[in-house]
Amino acid sequence: MSNSRSMEVSRSGTTLFVLGLGAVLALALVFTTVDPWLEKAGILAGGLDVHIYREGAWRLLHGHSLYRDETVGGLLYTYTPFSAIVFIPGLAVPAAWITNAFLLVNLGVLYACVLLCWRMLGYRMSTRSAGIGALLAITCVFLEPVRTTLFYGQINLVLMLLVLWDFARPEGGRLRGLGVGVAAGIKLVPAFFIVQYLVLRQWRSAATASVTLAATIALAWLVSPGDSREYWFSTFFRSERIAPDVEPANQSVRGVLAHLTGGSEPVWLWLILAGVSAGVGLTLVVVLDRCGERLLAVTLGGMTACAVSPFSWGHHWVWFVPLLVHLVHRAQTRPPWWFAAALLFVATGAWTYQWTPDFASVGVFVLPKPWHTEPILENAHVVVYVFALLYGLSVARRAEVERPRSSVADPIPVG
């Protein structure tokens, strides 16, 4: 899509009606499919991970090891030493308030992500586009990665915001790459976008991101050399600290292999499939970026990073949010794409199952399923990723065919 002139969100009542309906449906599903106060599942009864972040910051300030002892809930700290520095402001919030406080922060970050997506698609910011963005953000609350991120008090949406902020900036901008570097300094998966900058030949952005990442490592080493040494020479290589590969919520290529083989997958096979996935994803990223599809390019890059990571929890796939925004954008002028957006909403929704009065699971991949559907449902996010790659390929091919015409014609206005 050409971004040569700003556009307004469609003034057709269809957009407002569909997104209004989606927002109401999303809230109804989030608050009625599971008791919102049910421990370990209710949307208002979570906050485990944000308490782990807070304890990590406390340990850093008081000279305790980040990685040797269990934290809140008996879980281990798995983020970089720099992340504990970033989480220090959380200590200013009383422990009894931190869950709700970060829930509100995450909701604001989700909204900011949607607005950045609109900006990357070429829309001008107005009261109307801000309102439609709010409805779309509320609709996204029911997507499993978003719902689970909100429930646990996870940081995935914040990391995505940093990356989107980077890619929304003009190519060659002085600070472009800073967001990716900081995000990678907190959690290593976003370092994939440094590779993406390289394949796009955006050398300045890649250099800025790399220097920023190196600076986060150096700062953490100065603040806590013991934790830094332990993380980079030991903890970094121990993925089993997160969870076993066969964990149903492991939605990565390695997770798929573990699910299909019962955990006996050979490492070489995972490396080959992850390499192929990275190659295909990055190739599409280059073609789509060249065609002006910047949002779809960065979205597929984020999804590819999740796919090739050794372990990706379902909530890491917050990149379904910009994918949904992209589909809504297409539906502005081609109404059949509302059906595609609805399919994505259903396929990645936070569908729940109440196993006992005190326990419910969240996500398609942990629902009870007939044996013949298990290979698909248990790997739901990766299956959606494969379809997203095919969709990206079709968009790239269409853009390549239409480029000679669009190069001499004005872009079609939206609305």
Side-chain angles (χ1 to χ4, degrees), residues 39-318:
E39 187 179 1
K40 298 182 180 179
I43 188 65
L44 300 178
L48 175 62
D49 286 349
V50 73
H51 282 277
I52 293 175
Y53 302 156
R54 192 175 185 278
E55 180 168 334
W58 184 89
R59 288 186 178 188
L60 182 72
L61 288 181
H62 292 81
H64 296 280
S65 172
L66 284 173
Y67 305 107
R68 293 179 187 173
D69 302 316
E70 295 178 343
T71 64
V72 180
L75 299 177
L76 296 171
Y77 195 86
T78 59
Y79 293 102
T80 65
F82 174 71
S83 68
I85 298 175
V86 173
F87 298 142
I88 286 176
L91 293 173
V93 182
W97 297 357
I98 191 69
T99 295
N100 292 333
F102 199 61
L103 175 62
L104 294 175
V105 168
N106 261 332
L107 287 171
V109 169
L110 172 62
Y111 182 45
C113 287
V114 172
L115 293 182
L116 271 178
C117 290
W118 283 133
R119 178 181 170 186
M120 292 181 70
L121 288 168
Y123 293 102
R124 65 171 60 92
M125 288 298 102
S126 65
T127 302
R128 186 179 184 84
S129 60
I132 288 179
L135 291 176
L136 186 49
I138 295 171
T139 302
C140 288
V141 167
F142 183 67
L143 301 185
E144 184 276 330
V146 176
R147 196 268 194 204
T148 310
T149 290
L150 295 175
F151 169 73
Y152 283 118
Q154 259 284 340
I155 200 168
N156 307 299
L157 289 168
V158 174
L159 300 180
M160 184 170 70
L161 179 64
L162 289 170
V163 174
L164 288 174
W165 176 75
D166 252 10
F167 280 85
R169 297 177 63 79
E171 184 178 339
R174 294 182 61 184
L175 296 179
R176 197 167 190 262
L178 181 66
V180 166
V182 172
I186 297 171
K187 191 172 184 176
L188 293 177
V189 174
F192 183 87
F193 288 100
I194 298 178
V195 180
Q196 184 161 322
Y197 278 138
L198 292 173
V199 298
L200 290 172
R201 298 185 179 183
Q202 296 175 5
W203 313 119
R204 181 171 184 166
S205 299
T208 300
S210 299
V211 170
T212 302
L213 173 58
T216 67
I217 296 173
L219 175 62
W221 213 292
L222 287 173
V223 173
S224 183
D227 285 326
S228 295
R229 190 179 305 108
E230 184 169 353
Y231 180 82
W232 292 108
F233 293 107
S234 177
T235 303
F236 174 75
F237 300 99
R238 296 173 58 191
S239 61
E240 76 279 358
R241 285 170 55 93
I242 302 174
D245 289 340
V246 294
E247 165 67 44
N250 182 10
Q251 296 293 295
S252 67
V253 170
R254 187 167 183 171
V256 171
L257 290 174
H259 299 157
L260 296 177
T261 64
S264 60
E265 78 285 357
V267 174
W268 62 266
L269 180 58
W270 166 63
L271 291 174
I272 291 175
L273 292 178
V276 170
S277 299
V280 171
L282 289 171
T283 300
L284 277 175
V285 161
V286 172
V287 177
L288 289 168
D289 188 80
R290 187 195 316 143
C291 296
E293 292 283 357
R294 288 192 303 154
L295 179 62
L296 186 56
V298 70
T299 299
L300 288 182
M303 295 174 72
T304 300
C306 293
V308 302
S309 177
F311 197 106
S312 288
W313 292 103
H315 52 72
H316 291 175
W317 290 81
V318 288

